[in-house]
């Protein structure tokens, strides 16, 4: 999924690619991670308006589409720095933003790097870490909700509204 505008762009490109019988490859990176984490082929049009329960920012990321993963492995940005994207002010492909189009020649160079680079790690290796972080977030949210209930005052028997700890959500 992408933003509403990003999903519109992806959908338009997918429809055009189907008419031309060419695949659309999506290169994935985690913001500020310094690496790409995978490549997939877009396999369907975007289903707009459908919200997925696992997104923390559900209002921002609405819609879905099918993909077929081609590579799931971490590759540092330094491997791609020499590939310049003429569609993005001649900046390296590592400076791309969500749904930034990459021309065929540069995209093929990126695919070649994914194909040839030995896999040292993968986003999949860290799912246990992400699952634990999600569990801790849910526990903290439950604890915060519990603190928000009416509690018995200690000295005068008054009721007061408890204030829970501040909860910071980290979007990975």
């Amino acid at each position: 999924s992408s933003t509403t505008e990003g999903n519109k762009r992806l959908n338009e490109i997918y429809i055009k690619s189907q008419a031309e019988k060419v695949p659309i490859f999506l290169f994935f990176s985690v913001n500020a991670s310094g690496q790409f984490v995978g490549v997939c082929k877009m396999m369907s049009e975007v289903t707009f308006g459908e919200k997925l329960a696992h997104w923390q920012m559900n209002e921002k990321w609405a819609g879905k589409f099918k993909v077929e993963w081609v590579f799931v492995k971490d590759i540092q940005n330094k491997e791609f720095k020499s590939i310049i994207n003429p569609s993005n002010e001649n900046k390296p492909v590592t400076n791309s933003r969500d749904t930034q189009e990459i021309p065929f020649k540069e995209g093929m160079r990126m695919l070649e790097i994914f194909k040839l680079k030995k896999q040292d790690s993968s986003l999949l290796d860290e799912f246990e870490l992400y699952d634990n972080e999600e569990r801790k977030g849910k526990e903290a949210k439950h604890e915060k909700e519990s603190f928000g209930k009416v509690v018995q005052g200690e000295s005068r028997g008054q009721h007061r509204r408890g204030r829970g700890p501040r909860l910071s959500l980290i979007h990975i």
Side-chain angles (χ1 to χ4, degrees), residues 83-93 96 100-103:
I83 303 174
I84 303 302
N85 186 353
S87 299
N88 188 23
E89 301 174 0
N90 290 318
K91 294 178 182 177
V93 293
S96 296
Q100 171 70 55
E101 195 166 347
I102 299 171

Side-chain angles (χ1 to χ4, degrees), residues 102-109:
I102 299 171
F104 179 79
K105 183 176 92 172
E106 290 76 9
M108 290 303 293
R109 287 181 58 204

Side-chain angles (χ1 to χ4, degrees), residues 39-54:
V39 179
C40 70
K41 190 162 66 169
M42 191 169 176
M43 302 299 290
S44 74
E45 292 185 33
V46 176
T47 304
F48 291 93
E50 190 164 336
K51 295 180 180 178
L52 305 173
H54 60 272

Side-chain angles (χ1 to χ4, degrees), residues 140-151 160-165:
K141 182 179 178 183
H142 176 71
E143 187 175 309
K144 181 179 178 182
E145 289 169 354
S146 296
F147 281 136
K149 296 179 180 171
V150 176
V151 295
R160 63 181 173 84
R161 174 103 31 222
R163 294 186 181 204

Side-chain angles (χ1 to χ4, degrees), residues 25-80:
F25 290 97
L26 305 173
F27 296 87
F28 283 82
S29 66
V30 176
N31 196 20
S33 68
Q35 63 189 11
F36 282 88
V37 296
V39 179
C40 70
K41 190 162 66 169
M42 191 169 176
M43 302 299 290
S44 74
E45 292 185 33
V46 176
T47 304
F48 291 93
E50 190 164 336
K51 295 180 180 178
L52 305 173
H54 60 272
W55 285 119
Q56 287 183 358
M57 298 171 64
N58 211 2
E59 295 306 314
K60 183 176 181 179
W61 309 107
K64 69 177 187 176
F65 52 90
K66 293 179 183 177
V67 299
E68 179 182 300
W69 287 98
V70 179
F71 299 104
V72 179
K73 57 181 163 180
D74 299 344
I75 300 185
Q76 298 298 310
N77 280 352
K78 67 181 180 179
E79 302 292 332
F80 300 100

